[in-house]
Amino acid sequence: MLHVKPEQTPLCEATLIERVKSGDQGAYTALYELHIKRVYGLCLRLLADQAHAEDAAQEVFVQVWRKIAQFDGRSQFSTWLYSVASNVAISYLRKQKNWLQKVVSIEHCGMDEQSANDCKGLNGLDKLIVRLPERARMVFVLFAIEGYRHEEIAEQLGMAVGSSKSQYHRARQLLQEWYENE
């Protein structure tokens, strides 16, 4: 089995991808090890829950195994992978909402301050991001961190472009307020 530690120079990513496409599980493991931390970080920022982020990150790599043939190499693999990750995390979030939230439309807040401070794998700004209300957090992460345009975010989250911009502004205000009070 091929084992690549992140601090080692990995095989050419394009070679790994071709090997994964041909069913090479060792190459898949190497690709997983190269990207799991960032995928988990993205899922954690979007979901604001460690257990859900772990589940979603694992689902991302299940999807990668199933859909790797769809990756055509016209963009960087990481761009495709993080797009899969954001889609999986958003889908996961929608599935996890309880019936009351669906009926009454209660806005789910992120982690409380103590949970964010205790969370392994979070530091600095990430500890503030996971405390944001759900929609504001998702828009902030997709726009400010992942580089999506408001039009793309609006389509992905099923909201108006103006709502995406408003949620981003709200997130920035809350983050600034919390940062100044720390």
Side-chain angles (χ1 to χ4, degrees):
M1 177 179 266
L2 177 65
H3 183 72
V4 177
K5 293 183 180 178
E7 60 272 1
Q8 294 176 335
T9 303
L11 290 173
C12 174
E13 194 170 75
T15 303
L16 282 176
I17 292 164
E18 289 308 311
R19 289 175 57 185
V20 172
K21 285 181 179 182
S22 68
D24 183 333
Q25 291 182 352
Y28 173 76
T29 299
L31 209 53
Y32 172 89
E33 290 176 0
L34 286 173
H35 293 283
I36 186 59
K37 286 183 182 180
R38 179 130 190 258
V39 167
Y40 171 76
L42 173 58
C43 291
L44 182 58
R45 284 184 208 101
L46 287 170
L47 298 171
D49 181 282
Q50 287 179 307
H52 291 162
E54 289 171 8
D55 291 345
Q58 293 305 312
E59 177 62 26
V60 167
F61 284 96
V62 169
Q63 294 294 324
V64 166
W65 180 256
R66 290 181 184 156
K67 298 180 177 184
I68 191 74
Q70 294 175 8
F71 177 68
D72 59 13
R74 285 188 281 160
S75 64
Q76 289 186 344
F77 177 75
S78 60
T79 302
W80 180 79
L81 175 63
Y82 303 133
S83 176
V84 170
S86 63
N87 289 332
V88 166
I90 290 166
S91 293
Y92 191 87
L93 190 62
R94 288 180 181 141
K95 290 176 191 172
Q96 296 304 312
K97 286 188 177 190
N98 67 36
W99 69 271
L100 183 60
Q101 288 174 312
K102 290 179 182 176
V103 173
V104 184
S105 186
I106 297 173
E107 180 162 19
H108 174 69
C109 289
M111 287 183 184
D112 61 54
E113 185 174 358
Q114 186 61 45
S115 296
N117 288 331
D118 294 343
C119 185
K120 296 176 280 181
L122 289 179
N123 53 40
L125 183 59
D126 283 338
K127 286 186 179 185
L128 298 177
I129 291 171
V130 297
R131 291 174 48 200
L132 289 168
E134 180 180 291
R135 308 263 301 161
R137 180 180 65 249
M138 292 171 70
V139 169
F140 184 83
V141 169
L142 292 173
F143 182 81
I145 298 173
E146 296 303 315
Y148 285 77
R149 295 183 343 265
H150 283 293
E151 295 78 11
E152 294 169 315
I153 295 167
E155 182 178 325
Q156 195 168 23
L157 299 180
M159 65 172 56
V161 174
S163 294
S164 177
K165 291 177 181 180
S166 173
Q167 290 293 335
Y168 176 71
H169 179 71
R170 178 180 183 208
R172 284 190 51 191
Q173 284 181 318
L174 286 169
L175 290 171
Q176 184 174 357
E177 179 182 315
W178 293 337
Y179 181 76
E180 289 171 356
N181 290 328
E182 282 198 344

